[in-house]
């Protein structure tokens, strides 16, 4: 197409932020500090390499995901422990907080719930920022590796993509058959994964995660949660996923009581009246 005469002028229009978050209820610094205080460990789970584990966290408890044996990324799903239809909304979390999340930002649930499920209270990788390629850590842009995309692009049947790992873990946890567990699997928070979009073609890219054993990301549960974490077959995601090629490591999940746990008030339902104009 021939560009219009005012093409450059149209491109030069400055962007506006779609969802300024200034009016969100603030995460008070004192609340963040209390969530990091008086930690008493209550449970520990391991997501084995190329596999997933489910875990439970009560509202007001803290959960920590840690790198243990080597650089490894994880794909995280979250549900309301009492209602699997309320689950993590990666897309709106991205629209509110940006492509990658870190300390002080919240993970939101899907419509018609749309409330905080968890708040990130600590992130040992938040020094990373945005690198010269436009990459950053803990993204809400990649959906999860899955055997359907793998089949389309490469052919073959691979059974340890994060989508399948999460499906098996949820099935084992709930007793639902695989076919009924699978529709509950949703777009993830890519824990520790380093990703971005190429500037020239706009394509989703990954690069070796900067995570090292001992790094962790901590969340305050804002409602009772059922979580599932897959240790991605991509390992540190420096080369490829959806295969057994990459070196993979387990991930650890710990659940703690904190200074806020006793008497914690879960996040309240969204204030929209759901009448949709009728
Ligand atoms: Zn994966």
């Amino acid at each position: 197409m021939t560009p219009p005469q005012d093409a450059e002028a149209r491109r030069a229009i400055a962007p506006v932020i779609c969802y300024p978050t200034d009016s969100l209820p603030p995460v008070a610094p004192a609340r963040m500090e209390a969530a990091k205080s008086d930690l008493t460990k209550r449970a520990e789970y391991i997501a084995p390499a190329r596999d997933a584990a489910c875990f439970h966290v009560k509202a007001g408890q803290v959960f920590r995901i840690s790198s243990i044996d080597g650089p490894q990324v994880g794909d995280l799903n979250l549900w309301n422990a009492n209602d699997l239809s309320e689950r993590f909304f990666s897309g709106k979390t991205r629209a509110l907080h940006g492509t990658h999340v870190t300390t002080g930002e919240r993970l939101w649930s899907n419509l018609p719930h749309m409330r905080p499920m968890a708040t990130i209270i600590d992130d040992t990788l938040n020094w990373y920022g945005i690198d010269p390629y436009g990459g950053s850590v803990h993204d809400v842009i990649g959906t999860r590796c899955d055997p359907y995309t793998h089949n389309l692009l490469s052919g073959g049947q691979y059974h340890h993509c994060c989508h399948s790992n999460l499906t098996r873990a949820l099935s084992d946890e709930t007793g639902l058959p695989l076919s009924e567990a699978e529709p509950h699997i949703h777009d993830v928070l890519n824990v520790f994964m380093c990703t971005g979009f190429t500037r020239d073609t706009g394509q989703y890219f990954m690069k070796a995660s900067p995570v090292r054993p001992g790094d962790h990301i901590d969340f305050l549960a804002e409602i009772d949660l059922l979580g599932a974490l897959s240790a991605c077959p991509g390992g540190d995601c420096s080369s490829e996923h959806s295969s057994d090629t990459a070196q993979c490591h387990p991930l650890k999940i710990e659940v703690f009581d904190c200074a806020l746990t006793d008497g914690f008030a879960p996040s309240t339902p969204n204030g929209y009246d759901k009448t949709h104009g009728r």
Side-chain angles (χ1 to χ4, degrees):
M1 292 292 290
T2 307
Q5 284 194 334
D6 64 346
E8 282 311 311
R10 295 192 205 179
R11 288 194 185 100
I13 296 169
V16 293
I17 299 298
C18 289
Y19 293 110
T21 50
D22 317 350
S23 57
L24 284 177
V27 181
R31 190 170 186 263
M32 296 278 284
E33 285 311 307
K36 293 195 271 188
S37 305
D38 303 340
L39 295 185
T40 305
K41 189 162 158 176
R42 295 298 184 198
E44 179 177 312
Y45 307 80
I46 296 290
R50 292 191 182 84
D51 208 343
C54 279
F55 57 96
H56 284 270
V57 193
K58 290 209 178 322
Q61 287 185 315
V62 166
F63 66 101
R64 169 177 293 166
I65 298 172
S66 299
S67 166
I68 40 177
D69 294 346
Q72 175 66 41
V73 311
D75 287 47
L76 177 68
N77 267 191
L78 294 175
W79 298 268
N80 177 340
N82 307 303
D83 173 11
L84 289 186
S85 75
E86 182 174 9
R87 61 197 198 182
F88 173 53
F89 190 177
S90 159
K92 194 62 82 179
T93 299
R94 175 171 67 243
L96 285 167
H97 296 305
T99 52
H100 300 76
V101 291
T102 187
T103 312
E105 293 174 326
R106 283 167 277 210
L107 307 186
W108 297 83
S109 62
N110 59 336
L111 308 182
H113 309 283
M114 189 65 198
R115 59 175 167 170
M117 301 185 85
T119 300
I120 302 174
I121 57 169
D122 200 9
D123 171 16
T124 62
L125 290 177
N126 80 348
W127 56 268
Y128 191 87
I130 301 175
D131 68 31
Y133 299 97
S136 192
V137 186
H138 311 306
D139 81 67
V140 281
I141 47 180
T143 56
R144 62 200 176 273
C145 60
D146 74 86
Y148 303 95
T149 306
H150 174 71
N151 183 272
L152 278 174
L153 297 178
S154 309
Q157 309 292 328
Y158 183 69
H159 303 302
H160 290 273
C161 286
C162 290
H163 176 83
S164 297
N165 298 343
L166 294 167
T167 299
R168 290 194 311 276
L170 185 66
S171 172
D172 291 346
E173 178 66 27
T174 60
L176 292 170
L178 287 174
S179 61
E180 290 179 30
E182 184 174 12
H184 291 292
I185 305 306
H186 49 277
D187 288 353
V188 300
L189 168 62
N190 272 312
V191 177
F192 304 139
M193 192 167 179
C194 189
T195 59
F197 293 108
T198 59
R199 297 308 303 153
D200 51 350
T201 63
Q203 286 176 291
Y204 182 49
F205 72 76
M206 60 185 191
K207 53 180 284 188
S209 171
V211 71
R212 297 293 180 268
D215 279 321
H216 57 90
I217 181 168
D218 296 3
F219 306 81
L220 172 67
E222 301 284 1
I223 60 173
D224 290 347
L225 293 174
L226 169 64
L229 182 72
S230 168
C232 182
D236 70 354
C237 287
S238 57
S239 54
E240 64 177 82
H241 52 75
S242 305
S243 75
D244 284 343
T245 304
Q247 192 175 10
C248 283
H249 306 280
L251 290 167
K252 183 165 72 175
I253 305 128
E254 295 164 285
V255 178
F256 302 90
D257 284 348
C258 71
L260 294 175
T261 305
D262 275 347
F264 186 84
S267 59
T268 50
N270 190 282
Y272 178 59
D273 67 10
K274 302 180 187 170
T275 56
H276 303 289
R278 289 265 171 88

